């Protein structure tokens, strides 16, 4: 079969313990805009103009278990694209300085000798988030 049935990602839904904290991170730190929501769920929809994220609050945040990327099936991490090395460095300066961010992998080449660079952090609420420059085949 050669015809693709899909044309890309429509949106990504992330369950978070604190919806306001997650919204502030995406909007205040990364510059996303709130583009909608469902207060009764509760959920907030945020976008950078290319990707739409649905931030859902866990039903019982106190009882929710953090995702273990080595033990659970599901989203290992979310990777957001940046335009180039300068944009990656700017994202690192802003995200890396955030008090509630835990660094997993500081800025580095994706693989030794690769022109593609990235960094990975755990954002407020514990979601693993990657920032990456455009993929350059080795």
């Amino acid at each position: 079969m050669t015809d693709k049935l899909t044309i890309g990602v429509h949106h990504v839904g992330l369950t978070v313990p604190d919806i306001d904290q997650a919204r502030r991170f995406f909007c205040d730190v990364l510059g996303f805009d709130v583009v909608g929501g469902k207060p009764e769920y509760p959920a907030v929809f945020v976008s950078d103009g290319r990707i739409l994220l649905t931030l859902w609050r866990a039903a019982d945040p106190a009882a929710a278990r953090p995702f273990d990327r080595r033990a659970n099936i599901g989203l290992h991490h979310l990777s957001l694209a940046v335009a180039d090395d300068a944009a990656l460095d700017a994202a690192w300066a802003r995200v890396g300085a955030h008090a509630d961010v835990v660094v997993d992998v500081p800025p580095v080449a994706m693989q030794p000798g690769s022109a593609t660079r990235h960094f990975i952090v755990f954002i407020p609420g514990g979601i693993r988030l990657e920032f990456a420059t455009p993929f350059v085949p080795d």
Side-chain angles (χ1 to χ4, degrees):
M1 181 173 184
T2 59
D3 293 334
K4 310 271 187 301
L5 294 178
T6 63
I7 58 170
V9 175
H10 182 275
H11 74 276
V12 175
L14 302 173
T15 303
V16 298
D18 184 328
I19 202 164
D20 292 325
Q21 182 186 48
R23 179 194 44 76
R24 284 191 306 272
F25 178 81
F26 281 100
C27 294
D28 298 349
V29 177
L30 300 182
F32 279 51
D33 296 312
V34 173
V35 296
K38 291 178 94 175
E40 69 279 3
Y41 193 81
V44 173
F45 310 145
V46 298
S47 178
D48 67 358
R50 291 197 177 195
I51 188 169
L52 176 65
L53 299 178
T54 301
L55 306 174
W56 304 96
R57 194 196 73 211
D60 184 359
R65 291 177 290 152
F67 181 78
D68 180 343
R69 65 184 168 84
R70 298 180 191 273
N72 298 110
I73 303 299
L75 185 68
H76 183 269
H77 67 280
L78 174 62
S79 183
L80 299 177
V82 296
D84 53 28
D85 284 332
L88 185 79
D89 294 340
W92 172 251
R94 195 178 292 177
V95 172
H98 192 283
D100 296 323
V101 164
V102 176
V103 175
D104 188 17
V105 177
V108 65
M110 192 80 74
Q111 297 180 28
S114 174
T116 304
R117 293 177 56 227
H118 73 144
F119 69 86
I120 303 172
V121 297
F122 290 93
I123 65 171
I127 293 172
R128 193 165 184 251
L129 187 62
E130 177 182 37
F131 294 79
T133 60
F135 176 71
V136 179
D138 293 333

